[in-house]
């Protein structure tokens, strides 16, 4: 009864735009809305930069160097442009940006429902209801850590953690650890947990191999200079597949030119194929390890060749071309691991992330639960999304990638408000 009364007396606000989420994407949207004098509010369920505060492990450093950390009108101004921010530094950076952009953020305000109401939206939160002509979804791409169905077959007594649960090796029971997934997250976990003295096995499916430095420069320097990060989603053949690709094997450190499966093997990590199933307490791995590693080696070599080619036409001060040792794979990699009778005490699912749209009560999701949009213009008048992988460009989900996307989409939104016209699916310039 009390809840019903609370519902009835919730305050109601009216604004032009509700932005959901105060990560860097929501704040960048706010920056461009303010520049166009568009009335808006940013609703955030936690504190500013909530994901970086609550969903990352302790040792994580950005994979992108400091010189690349920039947001609209704002950039890294410290003394270590080639370094990598720790989590407290990222939080501080985004907090400072919120102040700089004077973003109208309402923290501890969880959006529980967004409904289409006449020609506008009704946004219900735990702290009131807003009516808005437009909604910007900037609630993040990584709200839920994926746990594949096979995780349901983990034998009792073995801890099963996601990438959101893992903070550091101290929280793990003594004993072996199986890490499922060998992208940036899985690789970093394997390295850290092995160094803490655990026996580690890493199950490896399709992955993207990248060196940290190439020809004496950070790989991000080349990705940026060659224009690869700027590539538009419209130029990519299979954008749906590209949007689902795993993150490259990188770590925010210049300790070694490359952190890869070879380096993990050298440190005693056991590399096996993709986890296919768990049957009667025994984990079964695919025999395709050699193939997936060969494919990752091939793609990395092609990228390095493309960089070499670019350098030929755009002379840059750098070292000579180099090639990295192919991934070493055992002649007979293990296909089985008896979880019940071996020393494995923990399984960590480093199997990617996905957004949470459980609060979105408008029919804009496809059958896989992905939001239907054209370069961020959602399939619903006046609704926009920001911060998803390859939303408009390869760089879209990165901090430095938000500026171009947010500028273009907020310009589209301004047109929408001005015309009052319905522009569903129309492309932002
Ligand atoms: C492990 C990891 C490492 C990464 N490393 C890098 C890197 O090195 N460099 C880089 O540029 N990018 C990196 N990224 C990618 C990217 O920068 C982050 O995913 C970033 O957090 C995305 O910013 P965002 O603003 O889109 O989303 P988020 O930062 O996730 O912000 C979304 C906000 O929305 C809020 N929210 C969600 N639902 C609701 C709701 N219903 N109501 C109210 N508020 C809500 C959340 O609390 C959150 O604060 C990394 C991502 C991950 C997961």
């Amino acid at each position: 009864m009390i809840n019903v009364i609370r519902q009835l007396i919730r305050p109601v606000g009216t604004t032009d735009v509700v932005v959901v989420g105060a990560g860097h994407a929501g704040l960048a949207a706010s920056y461009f809305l303010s520049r166009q004098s568009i009335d808006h509010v940013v609703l955030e369920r936690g504190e500013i930069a909530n994901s970086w505060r609550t969903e990352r492990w302790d040792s994580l450093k950005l994979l992108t160097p400091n010189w690349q950390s920039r947001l609209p009108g704002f950039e890294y101004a410290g003394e270590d442009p080639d370094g990598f921010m720790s989590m407290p530094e990222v939080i501080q950076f985004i907090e400072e940006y919120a102040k700089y952009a004077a973003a109208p953020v309402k923290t501890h305000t969880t959006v529980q429902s967004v409904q289409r109401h006449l020609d506008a939206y009704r946004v219900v939160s735990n702290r009131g209801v807003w009516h808005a002509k437009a909604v910007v979804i900037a609630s993040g791409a990584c709200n839920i850590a994926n746990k594949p169905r096979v995780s349901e077959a983990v034998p009792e007594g073995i801890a099963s953690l996601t990438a959101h649960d893992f903070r550091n090796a101290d929280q793990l029971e003594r004993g072996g650890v199986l890490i499922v997934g060998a992208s940036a997250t899985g690789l970093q976990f394997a390295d850290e947990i092995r160094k803490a003295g655990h026996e580690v096995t890493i199950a490896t499916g399709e992955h993207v191999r990248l060196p940290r430095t190439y020809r004496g420069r950070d790989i991000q320097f080349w990705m940026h200079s060659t224009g690869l990060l700027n590539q538009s989603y419209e130029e990519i053949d299979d954008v749906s597949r590209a949007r689902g690709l795993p993150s490259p094997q990188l770590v925010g450190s210049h300790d070694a030119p490359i952190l890869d499966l070879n380096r993990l093997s050298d440190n005693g990590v056991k590399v096996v194929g993709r986890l296919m199933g768990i049957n009667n307490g025994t984990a079964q791995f695919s025999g395709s390890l050699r193939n997936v590693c060969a494919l990752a080696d091939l793609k990395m070599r092609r990228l390095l060749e493309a960089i070499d080619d670019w350098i030929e036409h755009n002379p840059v001060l750098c070292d000579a071309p180099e090639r990295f040792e192919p991934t070493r794979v055992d002649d007979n990699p293990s296909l089985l691991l008896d979880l019940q009778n071996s020393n494995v005490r923990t399984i960590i699912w480093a199997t990617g992330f996905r957004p949470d749209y459980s609060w979105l009560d408008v029919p804009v999701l496809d059958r896989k639960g992905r939001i239907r949009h054209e370069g961020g213009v959602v399939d619903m008048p006046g609704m926009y999304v920001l911060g998803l992988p390859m939303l408009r460009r390869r760089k879209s989900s990165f901090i430095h990638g938000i500026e171009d996307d947010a500028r273009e989409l907020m310009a589209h939104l301004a047109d929408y408000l001005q015309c009052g016209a319905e522009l569903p699916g129309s492309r932002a310039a």
Side-chain angles (χ1 to χ4, degrees):
M1 185 62 182
I2 291 173
N3 274 347
V4 174
I5 294 170
R6 276 205 190 116
Q7 295 268 0
L8 291 173
I9 58 172
R10 273 175 174 172
V12 176
T14 304
T15 181
D16 284 336
V17 185
V18 168
V19 178
V20 184
H24 74 259
L27 298 171
S30 172
Y31 172 88
F32 286 112
L33 292 172
S34 294
R35 293 229 313 189
Q36 297 174 91
S37 305
I38 295 174
D39 189 53
H40 67 283
V41 63
V42 182
L43 305 184
E44 167 54 55
R45 64 182 168 182
E47 299 284 339
I48 286 166
N50 186 52
S51 302
W52 299 101
R53 291 172 198 272
T54 62
E55 294 171 0
R56 310 281 190 259
W57 58 100
D58 297 347
S59 64
L60 179 64
K61 291 196 160 196
L62 284 190
L63 307 178
T64 40
N66 291 335
W67 57 261
Q68 219 169 16
S69 290
R70 53 172 182 268
L71 288 166
F74 193 79
E75 61 188 2
Y76 172 82
E79 288 172 3
D80 185 16
D82 295 322
F84 302 92
M85 286 187 198
S86 64
M87 290 306 99
E89 288 166 337
V90 178
I91 293 163
Q92 192 186 347
F93 180 75
I94 296 177
E95 272 181 334
E96 282 170 12
Y97 185 63
K99 282 191 201 127
Y100 166 82
V105 181
K106 296 209 178 297
T107 53
H108 302 287
T109 307
T110 303
V111 173
Q112 297 161 327
S113 165
V114 172
Q115 302 144 14
R116 186 91 176 130
H117 184 65
L118 301 175
D119 282 346
Y121 291 95
R122 186 167 182 270
V123 180
V124 179
S125 82
N126 61 329
R127 302 190 57 189
V129 179
W130 274 265
H131 288 280
K133 294 176 195 150
V135 168
V136 178
I137 301 167
S139 51
C142 304
N143 313 112
I144 301 173
N146 289 331
K147 220 174 171 184
R149 186 160 290 169
V150 56
S151 64
E152 289 164 18
V154 172
E156 260 185 51
I158 295 182
S160 178
L161 305 181
T162 69
H164 279 175
D165 302 323
F166 179 76
R167 287 290 171 274
N168 56 58
D170 290 347
Q171 84 193 82
L172 306 179
E173 208 182 309
R174 290 273 14 122
V177 180
L178 169 62
I179 294 169
V180 184
S183 294
T185 305
L187 226 74
Q188 291 182 36
F189 288 176
D191 192 42
E192 176 170 342
I193 294 169
R194 177 66 195 140
K195 283 178 180 156
H198 294 261
E199 271 175 36
V200 176
T201 303
I202 186 164
T204 306
E206 188 188 358
H207 58 276
V208 180
R209 192 177 177 215
L210 267 194
R212 177 75 269 174
T213 49
Y214 181 61
R215 299 186 68 168
R217 300 249 190 181
D218 194 278
I219 191 69
Q220 294 289 354
F221 170 84
W222 299 117
M223 307 277 276
H224 169 81
S225 305
T226 56
L228 200 73
L229 290 171
N230 250 340
Q231 196 179 16
S232 157
Y233 73 106
E234 291 169 313
E235 296 166 46
I236 296 168
D237 284 344
D238 185 350
V239 74
S240 172
R241 180 180 145 71
R243 283 176 174 153
L245 277 180
S247 58
Q249 292 177 333
L250 278 180
V251 61
S253 154
H254 282 132
D255 284 353
I258 191 163
L259 169 63
D260 57 3
L261 294 170
N262 286 349
R263 190 159 143 218
L264 290 185
S265 301
D266 290 343
N267 291 340
V269 172
K270 190 169 169 187
V271 180
V272 295
R274 182 187 173 87
L275 178 66
M276 302 305 288
I278 299 178
N279 204 352
N280 288 330
T282 297
Q284 301 165 323
F285 304 108
S286 159
S288 64
L289 181 62
R290 186 173 297 283
N291 287 347
V292 292
C293 291
L295 188 65
D297 289 351
L298 174 75
K299 287 187 176 167
M300 179 172 78
R301 206 170 51 240
R302 281 195 191 140
L303 174 74
L304 302 184
E305 282 165 6
I307 292 171
D308 293 339
D309 191 45
W310 182 86
I311 294 169
E312 284 224 346
H313 300 96
N314 302 274
V316 172
L317 200 60
C318 63
D319 297 344
E322 54 188 316
R323 290 294 172 262
F324 296 87
E325 184 193 7
T327 309
R328 282 178 262 119
V329 178
D330 276 358
D331 285 342
N332 291 305
S334 299
L335 298 179
L336 299 172
L337 175 62
D338 181 346
L339 297 170
Q340 264 162 339
N341 298 311
S342 69
N343 188 27
V344 172
R345 306 306 319 139
T346 310
I347 299 183
I348 306 184
W349 305 96
T351 37
F353 304 92
R354 66 181 192 278
D356 176 12
Y357 296 130
S358 54
W359 45 272
L360 207 46
D361 293 319
V362 282
V364 294
L365 302 185
D366 68 14
R367 62 189 171 79
K368 289 191 171 169
R370 295 172 303 202
I371 204 153
R372 285 196 312 274
H373 68 91
E374 178 66 47
V377 181
V378 178
D379 192 8
M380 181 68 61
M383 187 167 266
Y384 298 83
V385 63
L386 277 170
L388 301 184
M390 263 176 242
L391 184 86
R392 297 181 64 75
R393 302 172 170 79
R394 278 196 191 276
K395 64 183 179 182
S396 286
S397 58
F398 294 102
I399 291 171
H400 64 94
I402 203 67
E403 177 161 1
D404 291 339
D405 288 11
R407 188 184 50 252
E408 291 164 2
L409 286 171
M410 294 309 100
H412 189 285
L413 188 156
D415 284 349
Y416 171 78
L417 291 180
Q418 212 167 28
C419 306
E422 298 203 347
L423 303 167
S426 61
R427 291 178 179 197

